[in-house]
Amino acid sequence: MTLIFAHRGSAGTHPENTMEAFMEAERVGADGIELDVQLSKDGEVVVIHDESIDRTTNDRGFVQDYTLKEIQSFNASYKFKKLFKQPKIPSLREVFDWMRGNQLICNVELKNGVIPYPQLEERVIALVEEFEYEERVILSSFNHYSIVHCYRINPKIEIAPLYSNGLFMPWVYAGSIHARAIHPNIKVITDHMIVDAQNAGVAVRPYTINAKPLMERLIKIDCAAIITDYPEKAIKVRNVIRKRD
């Protein structure tokens, strides 16, 4: 069965990378959530996509220049200001603590391609180990050196390279870095490649799958998972297909 991962939570309907978005993903029955992490000035792992707070909050500046306390004083309602009063940027610890009450998988994307945060991998893995989520967390990044470093720290935690350019036989590349999955931009992978990768034992979880026809196509070929801004929509599509089968 194709799993449904909520991209930055239910980012199509709720402020991205907030507890509100993650709780909505749980409410609609998503199998997992995807989120992004950066480091604050005081070394806390915070859940936000951009290196700056400009786009998604009511303030400006770089995440690395604010403490966690300062970051959490900002309004992270982004484009949903009329629907949500003042959601805040959560820490990864807060998300992990909330996950004690459910069985969601959590795909943590390490955002260290633009700003090379020292110790980001170590701090994320320390939290995974503290909560004993080695079997529930997937570590992904466009920085493949970073996820290889993660594997070397704790090989029990699954790693998955993100990529947006074409790779020849990406399942072979995945094997070479000990990745059990690949997370490609859907534009650079074909259905045949998805099937070949999964036949080789490498799960494929493309991003960002928001259009219904694309959801249907991937679910019909048993793609391992899809990462979408609209988990409720994807679940409805999956349910219809399962009833037909």
Side-chain angles (χ1 to χ4, degrees), residues 56-147:
T56 56
T57 80
N58 60 336
D59 216 304
R60 301 184 66 82
F62 288 97
V63 174
Q64 66 175 357
D65 294 331
Y66 291 102
T67 65
L68 175 62
K69 185 177 180 180
E70 290 169 332
I71 286 170
Q72 295 197 321
S73 70
F74 306 134
N75 185 338
S77 58
Y78 182 32
K79 62 183 179 181
F80 298 97
K81 293 180 178 64
K82 294 180 180 179
L83 299 176
F84 301 92
K85 289 186 178 180
Q86 189 162 341
K88 64 183 179 67
I89 296 169
S91 67
L92 186 60
R93 176 177 291 280
E94 288 175 83
V95 177
F96 279 2
D97 190 50
W98 165 76
M99 283 171 54
R100 292 183 193 272
N102 58 55
Q103 295 300 314
L104 289 170
I105 301 166
C106 184
N107 175 191
V108 178
E109 180 182 342
L110 289 83
K111 303 294 290 188
N112 50 8
V114 176
I115 297 174
Y117 297 107
Q119 297 293 303
L120 176 61
E121 296 90 348
E122 286 82 357
R123 291 178 187 272
V124 169
I125 290 173
L127 284 169
V128 175
E129 292 173 341
E130 178 185 336
F131 283 85
E132 299 182 344
Y133 285 167
E134 286 91 344
E135 299 300 320
R136 291 181 65 187
V137 166
I138 301 159
L139 301 177
S140 66
S141 183
F142 284 99
N143 181 343
H144 299 178
Y145 289 95
S146 177
I147 56 172

Side-chain angles (χ1 to χ4, degrees), residues 38-46 63-64 66-68 71:
Q38 321 254 356
L39 280 186
S40 65
K41 185 178 180 179
D42 50 347
E44 294 292 333
V45 183
V46 293
V63 174
Q64 66 175 357
Y66 291 102
T67 65
L68 175 62
I71 286 170

Side-chain angles (χ1 to χ4, degrees), residues 77-237:
S77 58
Y78 182 32
K79 62 183 179 181
F80 298 97
K81 293 180 178 64
K82 294 180 180 179
L83 299 176
F84 301 92
K85 289 186 178 180
Q86 189 162 341
K88 64 183 179 67
I89 296 169
S91 67
L92 186 60
R93 176 177 291 280
E94 288 175 83
V95 177
F96 279 2
D97 190 50
W98 165 76
M99 283 171 54
R100 292 183 193 272
N102 58 55
Q103 295 300 314
L104 289 170
I105 301 166
C106 184
N107 175 191
V108 178
E109 180 182 342
L110 289 83
K111 303 294 290 188
N112 50 8
V114 176
I115 297 174
Y117 297 107
Q119 297 293 303
L120 176 61
E121 296 90 348
E122 286 82 357
R123 291 178 187 272
V124 169
I125 290 173
L127 284 169
V128 175
E129 292 173 341
E130 178 185 336
F131 283 85
E132 299 182 344
Y133 285 167
E134 286 91 344
E135 299 300 320
R136 291 181 65 187
V137 166
I138 301 159
L139 301 177
S140 66
S141 183
F142 284 99
N143 181 343
H144 299 178
Y145 289 95
S146 177
I147 56 172
V148 168
H149 184 46
C150 289
Y151 175 81
R152 289 171 175 166
I153 296 170
N154 189 334
K156 293 180 182 178
I157 305 170
E158 180 178 333
I159 61 169
L162 279 157
Y163 64 97
S164 57
N165 293 312
L167 284 179
F168 178 69
M169 298 176 71
W171 53 94
V172 175
Y173 173 67
S176 74
I177 62 170
H178 303 284
R180 287 179 257 163
I182 52 175
H183 292 186
N185 184 311
I186 188 59
K187 295 177 182 178
V188 300
I189 195 163
T190 65
D191 291 2
H192 288 299
M193 292 171 72
I194 291 171
V195 171
D196 287 344
Q198 295 187 164
N199 284 341
V202 175
V204 183
R205 307 184 188 106
Y207 72 92
T208 304
I209 313 303
N210 291 337
K212 182 180 176 182
L214 191 49
M215 291 175 180
E216 290 175 335
R217 195 182 96 203
L218 292 170
I219 291 168
K220 285 176 180 176
I221 64 167
D222 292 323
C223 187
I226 60 174
I227 301 172
T228 177
D229 293 328
Y230 299 94
E232 186 171 25
K233 175 181 175 182
I235 289 162
K236 288 179 179 177
V237 170

